[in-house]
């Protein structure tokens, strides 16, 4: 490959570098345009044929990512520019998937920090920048979406500089280049008021500012940063070669977390260009490679030469803050819609998830058919559940709860920073809602055009179930973001503000007559013709207490005719809740029944008489 001309990167004297490669990670807050920017880099590097149809957000290949419009899994691609291979690692921007950032950031030497020109730095911007600076990555700031009419470029840059001043660990980290780009329009510019023609200024900045990888002589050594699977090649290990070189049929030693070693033979070595993996005869230090043939490996394990089986430092991942139980579906409809319903099948799937989902924790529950699963947030756990149900699993989920710890004899709970962007008219209702959830207002910023940013410090417990109420209170116009802060002393109980529910008193098929009677008492969740069982939640009661209703009650037939008897019953459309909304909605005595075809809400104790006995026993 060709050498770079006029190389401006500051490199340490006496060290060897690979001038034909650059490794960068793209980091930002959710919805700030990372994947769209990667689209533009791929298309303008001429990776695709001129007549090739390429979808938008081409890196979001997962069905769930495309449906939700967010990046969930970290992925890598590569482009060629002036004979230099630029390995690009695309990462999630949602705080719940920050573990994906933590495990791949060590493969890069530099980072592109994207900041939305309208929103400015957001909670995840702070988190990912802190991670990048701690790893010593050379940052390039890209102010994205500058084409928008309400862009605040100067203010965004000023806030970003303040963030660097707060987080930088060395003086040279404050010397970063700034580019102004539009991923959607496909241009980058060195000047804020001058629209560019293409992405060439960004390519040049990467070549001139991101340091090339250091070449360290010695036997092969690599840290497994990601895993994949191929139907023909089996398990694939992805990582950056730290030292030495690797070729097909080489023998390597796998070193696990406990220091145990096993020998494996590498069958194939791949490198990536665009969206394709290409087999190569060898790869060396600085390359990001995919290795086949190592069937037993976990993320964080080291692969090394048998001549020097030395382990690299393992990837450090933050602790989870929210947990819920996954149990076997015990409802009367169990096994009707799912392929995998047993304890053994659910257990195997959850523990298999631990191989790639480093932020997740799984423990056996108090009974043999229940498992305690911990993650970074409700969305983190909900995505796991959604993937499992699409694979054919069915299960019962409990209400998420914050993980409370005892530290130095004190009960401590996770606390998060909550950032809310909304209209000034909603400040009152939001303040009232958050006050009941033990939140403390720490900052309020008005933009003088009717918008406000509220910053709160709130226990994680207070956030559970808040998102749905927040969207209702702001009529869907509010935006909320959170970031884990620390463990602080327990703040006491938070009372539930949800009303009671309407519970089916009999099993059967829902009738319009029975549903009409139920709608006189609250909101319903089901349609006529739906099968229900006793103990299934069919609606939200207008009052605080639960109530049993017979939604299967048919209208009695008589031989008398009235002027209104044949008029159809008018029903209000039911409230349909998503998986996350269902998990947020339930109380501690309720479960979410999840199958490949349905999401149902139910009481843990199905029969009304047993629920009354349990309530009296708890009170007495």
């Amino acid at each position: 490959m060709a050498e770079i001309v006029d190389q401006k990167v500051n490199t340490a004297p006496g060290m060897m570098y690979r001038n034909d490669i650059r490794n960068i990670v793209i980091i930002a807050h959710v919805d700030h345009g990372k994947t769209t920017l990667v689209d533009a880099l791929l298309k303008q590097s001429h990776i695709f044929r001129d007549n090739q149809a390429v979808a938008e957000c081409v890196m979001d290949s997962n069905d769930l990512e495309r449906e939700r419009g967010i990046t969930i899994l970290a992925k890598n691609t590569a482009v060629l520019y002036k004979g230099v291979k630029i390995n690009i690692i695309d990462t999630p921007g949602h705080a719940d998937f920050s573990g994906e950032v933590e495990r791949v950031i060590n493969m890069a030497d530099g980072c592109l920090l994207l900041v939305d020109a309208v929103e400015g730095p957001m909670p995840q911007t702070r988190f990912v920048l802190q991670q990048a600076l701690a790893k010593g990555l050379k940052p390039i700031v890209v102010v994205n979406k500058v084409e928008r009419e309400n862009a605040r470029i100067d203010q965004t840059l000023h806030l970003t500089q303040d963030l660097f001043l707060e987080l930088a660990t060395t003086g040279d980290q404050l010397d970063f280049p700034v580019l102004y780009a539009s991923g959607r329009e496909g241009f980058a510019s060195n000047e804020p008021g001058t629209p560019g023609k293409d992405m060439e200024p960004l390519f040049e900045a990467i070549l001139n500012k991101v340091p090339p990888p250091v070449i360290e002589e010695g036997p092969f050594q690599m840290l497994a940063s990601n895993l994949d699977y191929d139907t023909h090649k089996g398990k694939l290990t992805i990582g950056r070669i730290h030292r030495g070189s690797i070729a097909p049929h080489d023998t390597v030693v796998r070193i696990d977390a406990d220091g145990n070693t096993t020998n494996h033979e590498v069958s194939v070595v791949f490198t990536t260009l665009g969206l394709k993996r290409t087999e190569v005869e060898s790869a060396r230090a600085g390359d990001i490679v995919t290795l086949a043939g190592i069937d037993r490996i976990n993320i964080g394990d080291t692969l090394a030469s048998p001549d020097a089986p030395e382990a690299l430092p393992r990837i450090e991942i933050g602790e989870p803050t929210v947990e819920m139980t996954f149990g076997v579906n015990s409802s009367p409809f169990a096994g009707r819609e799912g392929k995998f319903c047993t304890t053994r099948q659910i257990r195997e799937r959850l523990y298999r998830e631990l191989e790639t989902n480093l932020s997740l924790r799984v423990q056996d529950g108090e009974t043999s058919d229940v498992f305690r699963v911990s993650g970074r947030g409700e969305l983190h756990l909900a995505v796991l559940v959604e993937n499992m149900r699409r694979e054919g699993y069915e299960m019962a989920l409990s209400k998420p709860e914050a993980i409370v710890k005892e530290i130095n004899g004190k009960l401590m709970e996770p606390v998060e920073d909550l950032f809310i962007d909304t209209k000034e008219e909603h400040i009152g209702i939001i303040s009232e809602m958050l006050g009941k959830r033990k939140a403390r207002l720490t900052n309020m910023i008005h933009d003088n055009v009717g918008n406000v940013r509220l910053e709160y410090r709130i226990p994680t417990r207070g956030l559970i179930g808040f998102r749905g109420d927040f969207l209702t209170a702001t009529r869907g116009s509010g935006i909320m973001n959170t970031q884990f802060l620390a463990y602080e002393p327990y703040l006491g109980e938070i009372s539930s503000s949800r009303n009671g529910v309407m519970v089916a008193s009999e099993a059967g098929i829902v009738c319009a007559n029975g549903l009409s009677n139920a709608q006189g008492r609250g909101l319903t969740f089901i349609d006529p013709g739906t099968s229900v069982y006793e103990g299934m939640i069919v609606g939200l009661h207008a009052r605080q207490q639960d109530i049993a209703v017979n939604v299967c009650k048919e209208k009695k037939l008589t031989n008398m005719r009235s002027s209104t008897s044949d008029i159809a019953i008018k029903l209000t459309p039911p409230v349909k809740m998503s998986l996350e909304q269902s998990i947020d909605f339930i109380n501690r005595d309720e479960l979410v029944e999840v199958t490949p075809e349905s999401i149902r809400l139910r009481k843990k104790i199905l029969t009304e008489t047993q629920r009354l006995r349990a309530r009296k026993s708890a009170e007495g």
Side-chain angles (χ1 to χ4, degrees):
M1 289 187 176
E3 293 289 322
I4 301 176
V5 180
D6 297 329
Q7 178 59 251
K8 300 176 184 177
V9 176
N10 293 323
T11 55
M15 299 190 72
M16 296 178 62
Y17 296 88
R18 284 193 62 180
N19 216 26
D20 62 343
I21 199 167
R22 296 290 186 275
N23 296 318
I24 62 167
V25 59
I26 299 187
I27 54 179
H29 187 79
V30 65
D31 239 7
H32 279 201
K34 297 180 306 302
T35 307
T36 307
L37 188 79
V38 174
D39 280 2
L41 293 174
L42 285 169
K43 292 171 183 175
Q44 294 188 26
S45 64
H46 306 295
I47 289 295
F48 306 113
R49 300 189 311 272
D50 292 338
N51 63 343
Q52 185 174 349
V54 181
E56 289 189 8
C57 297
V58 66
M59 292 293 287
D60 285 347
S61 54
N62 184 289
D63 289 341
L64 210 53
E65 291 178 321
R66 289 195 173 279
E67 289 174 19
R68 294 171 180 265
I70 60 174
T71 302
I72 296 173
L73 302 172
K75 308 170 205 65
N76 62 292
T77 184
V79 300
L80 286 175
Y81 180 75
K82 291 187 177 180
V84 178
K85 184 176 184 180
I86 302 174
N87 287 309
I88 302 171
I89 305 164
D90 187 21
T91 61
H94 199 288
D96 281 25
F97 308 112
S98 52
E100 293 286 312
V101 181
E102 292 170 325
R103 68 181 173 84
V104 299
I105 204 169
N106 64 336
M107 292 197 291
D109 299 297
C111 66
L112 298 186
L113 177 70
L114 261 68
V115 184
D116 191 303
V118 178
E119 296 183 352
M122 297 290 280
Q124 186 72 356
T125 313
R126 170 185 291 273
F127 172 81
V128 293
L129 178 60
Q130 191 171 22
Q131 294 287 320
L133 296 181
K135 295 289 184 182
L137 302 190
K138 179 65 178 178
I140 297 175
V141 173
V142 180
V143 180
N144 198 26
K145 304 184 183 181
V146 294
E147 82 283 6
R148 295 173 64 178
E149 293 183 0
N150 54 346
R152 305 176 300 161
I153 297 175
D154 292 339
Q155 187 176 356
T156 296
L157 182 57
H158 179 72
L159 293 172
T160 305
Q161 290 170 336
D162 289 346
L163 195 60
F164 270 87
L165 283 170
E166 185 178 343
L167 300 178
T169 56
T170 60
D172 62 338
Q173 290 179 337
L174 300 175
D175 181 22
F176 54 87
V178 181
L179 286 92
Y180 307 88
S182 169
R184 186 167 297 278
E185 300 294 330
F187 70 79
S189 173
N190 292 310
E191 300 296 331
T194 308
K197 297 179 180 179
D198 51 31
M199 284 292 175
E200 184 174 348
L202 182 54
F203 280 122
E204 290 291 337
I206 293 171
L207 263 58
N208 295 328
K209 298 298 182 180
V210 175
V214 177
I215 302 300
E216 186 175 340
E217 296 296 328
F220 171 74
Q221 193 180 37
M222 184 185 98
L223 189 70
S225 298
N226 205 352
L227 297 178
D228 202 351
Y229 186 81
D230 184 89
T231 52
H232 301 291
K233 305 294 184 183
K235 182 177 283 189
L236 303 176
T237 306
I238 303 170
R240 171 178 162 176
I241 300 177
H242 178 72
R243 185 180 68 193
S245 61
I246 190 70
H249 308 298
D250 283 356
T251 299
V252 296
V253 173
R254 177 187 72 97
I255 308 170
D256 65 14
D258 299 322
N260 301 319
T261 60
T262 53
N263 290 343
H264 302 267
E265 181 181 326
V266 175
S267 59
V268 185
V269 179
F270 295 98
T271 58
T272 302
L273 187 62
L275 304 180
K276 295 182 179 179
R277 290 193 178 114
T278 306
E279 292 188 29
V280 294
E281 295 182 357
S282 66
R284 58 196 178 101
D287 282 322
I288 294 177
V289 296
T290 302
L291 306 180
I294 306 160
D295 55 348
R296 293 176 53 201
I297 190 167
N298 295 316
I299 294 174
D301 291 352
T302 297
L303 294 177
S305 167
D307 298 331
E310 303 164 357
L312 289 165
R314 293 190 71 84
I315 300 170
E316 296 181 4
I317 300 292
E319 291 294 317
T321 57
V322 175
E323 70 175 6
M324 61 192 298
T325 62
F326 286 46
V328 172
N329 185 13
S330 58
S331 84
F333 293 170
R336 292 187 181 183
E337 300 171 356
K339 294 189 295 184
F340 309 112
C341 314
T342 66
T343 303
R344 178 184 60 81
Q345 291 168 333
I346 295 173
R347 176 189 172 88
E348 286 178 357
R349 177 63 180 84
L350 288 174
Y351 278 93
R352 188 167 70 246
E353 182 71 17
L354 295 177
E355 295 180 7
T356 56
N357 199 335
L358 295 193
S359 300
L360 202 70
R361 302 287 186 274
V362 178
Q363 295 177 307
D364 292 342
E366 298 172 355
T367 59
S368 60
D369 60 348
V370 172
F371 306 94
R372 290 170 54 199
V373 182
S374 309
R376 286 284 180 91
E378 293 169 87
L379 183 58
H380 184 203
L381 297 175
V383 165
L384 169 61
V385 174
E386 185 63 36
N387 282 325
M388 289 179 65
R389 73 184 287 243
R390 293 185 183 204
E391 294 167 13
Y393 288 84
E394 67 173 60
M395 68 211 88
L397 311 173
S398 73
K399 182 179 180 62
E401 295 185 359
I403 299 174
V404 179
K405 297 181 179 180
E406 187 170 318
I407 303 175
N408 297 327
K410 293 183 179 179
L411 198 61
M412 309 286 278
E413 66 174 335
V415 173
E416 303 189 34
D417 280 331
L418 170 64
F419 301 82
I420 290 176
D421 291 285
T422 186
K423 301 288 185 183
E424 291 179 344
E425 62 192 78
H426 302 312
I427 292 177
I429 182 65
I430 290 174
S431 300
E432 182 182 353
M433 291 164 55
L434 289 173
K436 297 176 181 178
R437 294 170 177 267
K438 308 288 186 181
R440 293 165 285 166
L441 182 66
T442 57
N443 197 9
M444 181 187 298
I445 304 171
H446 295 265
D447 68 353
N448 299 322
V449 291
N451 301 312
V452 63
R453 172 173 290 184
L454 305 171
E455 299 178 10
Y456 287 88
R457 180 169 292 188
I458 183 172
T460 301
R461 290 180 299 131
L463 288 170
I464 295 173
F466 172 69
R467 188 178 297 273
D469 294 341
F470 168 74
L471 291 175
T472 301
T474 60
R475 302 184 185 93
S477 64
I479 300 173
M480 60 173 282
N481 293 284
T482 61
Q483 180 187 3
F484 172 72
L485 185 63
Y487 271 83
E488 294 185 357
Y490 189 75
L491 293 174
E493 290 295 325
I494 297 176
S495 58
S496 174
S497 58
R498 197 202 74 180
N499 284 354
V501 291
M502 294 186 285
V503 185
S505 60
E506 294 184 12
I509 306 296
V510 177
C511 298
N513 182 64
L515 202 57
S516 177
N517 293 334
Q519 287 190 346
R521 304 188 177 198
L523 299 173
T524 54
F525 300 155
I526 53 176
D527 292 301
T530 304
S531 297
V532 298
Y533 52 80
E534 184 182 3
M536 182 172 158
I537 296 172
V538 297
L540 179 66
H541 193 204
R543 299 185 179 182
Q544 290 293 321
Q545 69 272 18
D546 296 341
I547 183 173
V549 294
N550 183 6
V551 290
C552 304
K553 184 178 180 182
E554 297 181 353
K555 188 171 183 179
K556 292 181 179 180
L557 301 176
T558 69
N559 59 358
M560 300 296 292
R561 178 177 295 177
S562 69
S563 60
T564 58
S565 63
D566 295 329
I567 296 177
I569 297 173
K570 292 184 179 180
L571 297 175
T572 304
V575 176
K576 298 291 186 180
M577 290 191 287
S578 66
L579 177 61
E580 291 102 300
Q581 289 171 330
S582 300
I583 292 172
D584 277 347
F585 178 81
I586 58 174
N587 277 335
R588 291 184 178 180
D589 63 336
E590 297 161 359
L591 297 172
V592 179
E593 177 187 347
V594 178
T595 75
E597 299 178 17
S598 308
I599 297 173
R600 304 183 185 95
L601 307 180
R602 52 162 285 192
K603 288 290 185 178
K604 286 184 178 179
I605 302 174
L606 294 178
T607 61
E608 185 178 9
T609 54
Q610 290 179 338
R611 289 198 299 273
L612 289 172
R613 288 175 186 170
R615 193 178 304 131
K616 288 180 180 179
S617 176
E619 292 173 355

